[in-house]
Amino acid sequence: MKLEQLVEGFEGRRVVVLGDLVADVSVYGEISRVSREAPVLILSHREKRLAPGGGANAVHNLWALGAKPMPVGMVGDDAEGRQIVEYFASRGIDVNGIRKAARYRTPTKTRILAGAPHSYRQQVLRIDEGHTLDASSTPKATLRAVKSRLRKADAVLISDYGYGIVGPSVSETFRNSGIPVTVDSRFRVEQFRNLTAATPNEPEVEAALGFRIGSDLGRLERAGRTLLRRLKHKAVLITRGKDGMALFEKGRKTSHVPIYGTDEITDVTGAGDTVIAVFTLALAAGASFIEAARLANYAGGIVVMKHGTRTVTQKELLEAVRADR
């Protein structure tokens, strides 16, 4: 199938996104002077922005690509949680699967960015806050919300950032679902098994298997095949930054997808969320694994040229595909 047709087929696809809903907060300031109290810069505050991060960023990307995401997760009864829910609701995204819990703190990553007037602001500090639940199993209320949405879903995307909203045992829920189920797990890639595909980055694979890959293609091949065998997925897509991607499938030769665009990357924040969103959506639209990987590669190449946690639109993806013919 032509890649353009697949992208056009994204429209209206329903994807359940199960995972950690994170708030990415950016605080922008301008350097005014050096403090007399300590050898540190004093910033004049200019603005503060919140963007959906983690699993919420995957939801946001799906929406920007024309799909109908169905997020299932939890936020706290706090300002960040309320802003995420309100932001989604204002864009027509179904927020009924997002539970608000008074004793839960919405995972929040606050980045302080500083620079001179009229210049690009650089990240100088990141502050992480958030509540981590028992990560051994998925909360029962969350499972009920997922199961009630499976009947009308075209695919499922699992986004595990380690905050405990989703546990590896959830894999059993999707065993006979008949739809693509993908997973992106920051710390436990080897624990989610018998799904359609996983999209770990190279450092996550190295941590899971206990050896370094580097620029050694032999080690990369060994890592991909080992992970594919252990996880019992149909495919594993390893993202490799400036070295592109490597797709491993059962019974097929490894496909190496070179990076799209330039390797002079602007910002990798949230790029993995964009990659799995496009990869999953392409599978939902009927793509083969290599077609889905190629589209995800285009999207990754686009989003890393943007500052902060951003999305790729359906129009941008189509333009990239057509320009690269």
Side-chain angles (χ1 to χ4, degrees):
M1 187 180 292
K2 290 184 178 180
L3 296 184
E4 296 101 312
Q5 291 177 320
L6 287 168
V7 177
E8 290 165 354
F10 288 178
E11 199 71 35
R13 297 286 176 179
R14 295 162 297 186
V15 181
V16 174
V17 179
L18 168 63
D20 297 303
L21 306 178
V22 178
D24 277 353
V25 177
S26 298
V27 178
Y28 297 92
E30 291 176 358
I31 300 170
S32 60
R33 63 188 188 279
V34 177
S35 173
R36 289 181 295 179
E37 302 167 359
V40 296
L41 298 173
I42 294 176
L43 305 182
S44 295
H45 181 266
R46 288 292 175 261
E47 62 179 318
K48 182 177 181 179
R49 299 178 186 170
L50 182 146
N57 186 28
V59 172
H60 197 197
N61 272 275
L62 289 166
W63 171 81
L65 290 160
K68 293 187 180 297
M70 296 182 283
V72 176
M74 184 187 297
V75 295
D77 188 10
D78 47 44
E80 291 80 9
R82 287 190 291 273
Q83 285 183 64
I84 289 173
V85 174
E86 289 167 5
Y87 184 85
F88 285 165
S90 69
R91 282 153 178 75
I93 296 172
D94 177 10
V95 296
N96 291 321
I98 301 176
R99 188 158 58 99
K100 187 185 294 182
R103 296 184 180 181
Y104 180 73
R105 174 72 171 94
T106 303
T108 303
K109 299 178 181 180
T110 302
R111 296 172 174 87
I112 312 298
L113 298 101
H118 312 300
S119 70
Y120 170 64
R121 295 177 178 89
Q122 304 268 353
Q123 184 179 159
V124 297
L125 180 69
R126 194 178 100 179
I127 303 168
D128 287 7
E129 304 171 81
H131 201 118
T132 301
L133 303 174
D134 175 12
S136 61
S137 62
T138 305
K140 291 181 180 179
T142 302
L143 278 179
R144 287 196 297 270
V146 169
K147 289 176 180 177
S148 69
R149 287 159 175 75
L150 275 181
R151 292 188 300 274
K152 53 185 178 181
D154 296 304
V156 175
L157 187 163
I158 300 171
S159 177
D160 172 35
Y161 270 77
Y163 291 100
I165 294 299
V166 54
S169 61
V170 76
S171 300
E172 295 297 322
T173 303
F174 308 114
R175 186 175 294 279
N176 298 309
S177 65
I179 57 176
V181 182
T182 62
V183 60
D184 181 17
S185 180
R186 177 64 57 88
F187 306 109
R188 303 179 294 174
V189 62
E190 76 283 6
Q191 295 183 34
F192 290 85
R193 304 191 176 195
N194 293 293
L195 300 175
T196 305
T199 61
N201 61 38
E202 195 168 284
E204 291 164 354
V205 174
E206 291 174 334
L209 299 181
F211 64 84
R212 179 169 168 74
I213 297 170
S215 58
D216 189 324
L217 291 181
R219 283 176 172 258
L220 174 63
E221 181 70 17
R222 174 187 161 199
R225 293 296 161 187
T226 299
L227 205 56
L228 185 64
R229 184 175 65 254
R230 288 185 185 178
L231 299 183
K232 299 181 180 178
H233 294 339
K234 295 178 181 177
V236 170
L237 178 67
I238 299 178
T239 59
R240 310 186 65 223
K242 64 181 179 60
D243 293 319
M245 302 178 175
L247 174 67
F248 300 87
E249 298 179 68
K250 290 182 179 180
R252 291 179 179 269
K253 290 184 178 180
T254 302
S255 298
H256 295 276
V257 185
I259 188 173
Y260 169 72
T262 175
D263 60 3
E264 296 294 326
I265 293 170
T266 299
D267 192 342
V268 299
T269 305
D273 306 319
T274 299
V275 165
I276 194 170
V278 173
F279 186 75
T280 306
L281 195 48
L283 294 178
S288 65
F289 287 118
I290 185 57
E291 289 170 334
R294 288 179 62 193
L295 288 174
N297 187 58
Y298 283 123
I302 295 168
V303 82
V304 296
M305 299 310 296
K306 301 181 180 184
H307 295 296
T309 309
R310 302 286 295 278
T311 64
V312 171
T313 66
Q314 190 178 34
K315 180 181 178 182
E316 288 174 321
L317 188 55
L318 274 172
E319 289 175 349
V321 170
R322 290 166 180 163
D324 198 44
R325 282 176 178 166

